[in-house]
Amino acid sequence: MIGQLAAVVPAFIVLGVVGIVTARVQAGRVLVYGGSLVLCAVLLGGGLAALTGDIQRIVLPIGIPWVGGHLRLDALSGFFLALIGLGGGGASLFALGYGQSEHHPGRVLPFFPAFLAGMTLVILADDAFLFLFGWELMSLSSWALVMAHQDEATAPSAPQPGYVYLLMATFSGLTLLLAFGLLAGAGGGLAFDNMRLHAAGPGVTAGAFVLALIGAGSKAGLVPLHVWLPLAHPAAPSHVSALMSGVMTKVAVYGFVRIVFDLLAPQPWWTATLVLVAGGITAVLGVLQAVLERDLKRLLAYSTVENIGIIFVGLGMALAFRLNGFAAGAALAITAALFHAFNHTLFKSLLFFGAGAVLNATGRRDMETMGGLIHRMPVTAFFFLAGCMAVSALPPLNGFASEWLTFQAVLLRPQLPQWGLKLMFPVDGALLALAAALAAACFVRAYGAAFLGRPRTPAAEQATEVDHWSLTAMGGFALLCLLAGIFPGAVIDALAPVSQAMTGARMPVQLADPWLTIAPIAASRSSYNGLLVFSFIAVSMLLTIAAVHRVSRGIRRSPPWDCGFPQAAPDTQYSATSFQQPIRRVFGVIFRVRDSVDMPAPGERRAASITQRRWDPIWDPLYAPIAGLVSWIAERMNVLQFLTIRSYLSFVFGALVVLLLTLALWQ
Amino acid sequence: MSHGLSFDIAHMLAGGLVLVSFLMLYQDRLLALLHVLSLHAVVLALSVAWQAWIQDAPHLFITAALALGFKAILIPMVLRRMVFQMGIHREIETVGGIGLTMLAGIALVALSLEVMLPVTSDVDPVAREDIALALSVVMIGMLMMVTRRNALSQVVGFMSLENGIILAATGARGMPLVVEISVAFSILIALIVIGVFLFRIREQFDTIDVEALDRSRGGQE
């Protein structure tokens, strides 16, 4: 079976070539996205089969000499292949309709399958060379997709999405290269099997761990390496945003899990603390910035940062439990993390599809220019609501199930001997609780501003419902969100082989419990029944509706309360900025929010305005100085561009003489 | 230290090449410089031919013939025609202090020997001396390119540098003929390109002093 799955990679590349040739005709879109859909279905099927199957290997004659190309299919890679198949298939389905409005299909069609090919190769690779090759293919093709609409991008003074993304992608590739270098050791065995056998010293192990955390973390979006996400995700076409946010960050999580849980020897306890600290900060900072954001797609990107934080908290707990020999806890934590990764793929793809549909219908990304879309796009609005509920972790949807499992792992905290872990477990619990609450506020705000109220602009007033392909993709993901929320036991059981391979233990069998209850440790301790919650909500909702209709006899329409001003303009509505104001007041300290009101004097005819300035706690103190230093050096080096020919020759000559002198003195 | 006559002759010819390089460094008149370039190539051809004889490698005779034909006769003739066409045969170019340049050249030769002799202590003594002296020739060629202001004498410096590389290559045993032939032809092509450029520069600026190019680029001088 691994042979068929490996063949998917070149098939994607062929589709990319087809995309180059047929970019100008309508059939090209159908061909490329339809082909991607079929290949993604193959990945999904193969991945699901691999979850329960044996480990399969294959050695290809390509790759670097004497190493070849090693591919391997085990439960972990099967799970992530299924994720790619699911997310990529959904994005292809959505793009079948959404791609119609693409102005430059030639800039998107060739790279979309190449992006999928890169991700598939990363998952299948079993040596460092193929892994990094796939990683770079994934980075570069997604960079090309980010650049597709560069000409309609932001002001020249703002950080350029493509540039920042390329820099961060290169940085992540470099750190992973160094991590693999440390793992391979002096012998230089690039195959992962050599690395598993190679027992490195504690210093090397810790170094490789930190490098892997930085490399995978900067691709996944761990604070402070997340800066490219809110820039790059909104810049790409929406189905690509969904793929980058929903699937590519998961491939980065896969890289981290593969290196840290599989290839590395057991690490010292402070590494687990490091992951826990990074995860907790990522979750809170990501969601805080999401709350403050007005751009719908940037908001979703920041929310991705938050969810990556939750996933990494789960992974950190799994590490902590594993190194203390508490296998059941480790199994629970890693299952929670992977379950959340799965859920995030579902609901974040759904939300990006919704944002893309809104963008297509209104041409706007700023939530303050939307409003009232629930009347114009009722189906999209319904599916987007499902996505919002899932990401806000409301039962009975899937987000609740995985976050609940994560909290179970936090609460499980046995007597860990290390003070760092002892400290970080409750702190992370509190941070996750804060993040979950803020996420709910964030998505209430997003949904309210975009879909409820009255249209704020003519563009929002004239929006129309999107095509059927897009709606099918959104509906499918919304249904999956519900199913995974009602039957979490099925997902947990499917993840058991992964947890078995990574931590040496698995969670108890869930589907054996009566009435689809899930109990992470024991039913006496804690249990959750998604089906029960769903039935309760459904029944009580139906009863309420019936009661309301019986009492009130149908819908009454009346003019809204208008604060005493008749014919209030849509601008006077409660806005997204109004909604975030209390949160801005509380957390404004972190972001140094400054509101300045420009009120014209009586008699002046210009409009009053209010501007909000925000300080980015990561970009401004960390990245801005680096950018400043680089441009300072570049300006100093600029002189070198304007020297005489003889000066250049003298430089070459001088360099040669200096090198020879060094050699002569060295001996 | 008895290496026999063959070693002494190889050594003498390679040393002669360094000596001619110094002549070139000293010479500040263009036509005389071209004559020295011819002499340089002749000495190179002799040296390569001697290597061919003692290494019993007949293909090196082809290299020697190439050096003699192209570098000693054809290239200097072409450059000479250029000098007459441009009417600069009486031009005496300004070189920054011939004495200082010669001293720098001596220092470079010392440096080359100091670097090369210890590194190559375990190879064939003929090749060893050859490589050390060849590096000196390369360094002096570069020094010449740096210290001259006239584009034509920079070309001459480049040609002598290339002669040094050939000397090093023939000293080491087993360089394939195809490499040498392709190098020889690439030098010819370089000559054509450089010739075209010189005439173009001349058309534009009425001089082939490279300082004029820098002024045109707005360089700080």
Side-chain angles (χ1 to χ4, degrees), chain B residues 22 59 96 168:
Chain B
F22 272 103
H59 69 272

Side-chain angles (χ1 to χ4, degrees), chain A residues 615-637:
Chain A
W615 184 79
D616 191 320
I618 302 298
W619 182 271
D620 288 318
L622 206 63
Y623 286 82
I626 296 176
L629 181 70
V630 169
S631 63
W632 184 82
I633 294 174
E635 260 172 42
R636 296 296 169 284
M637 304 276 275

Side-chain angles (χ1 to χ4, degrees), chain A residues 593-613:
Chain A
V593 180
R594 294 275 177 278
D595 293 339
S596 52
V597 179
D598 174 32
M599 187 64 80
E604 268 188 87
R605 288 199 177 164
R606 64 199 172 85
S609 67
I610 176 166
T611 46
Q612 188 195 103
R613 267 186 303 164

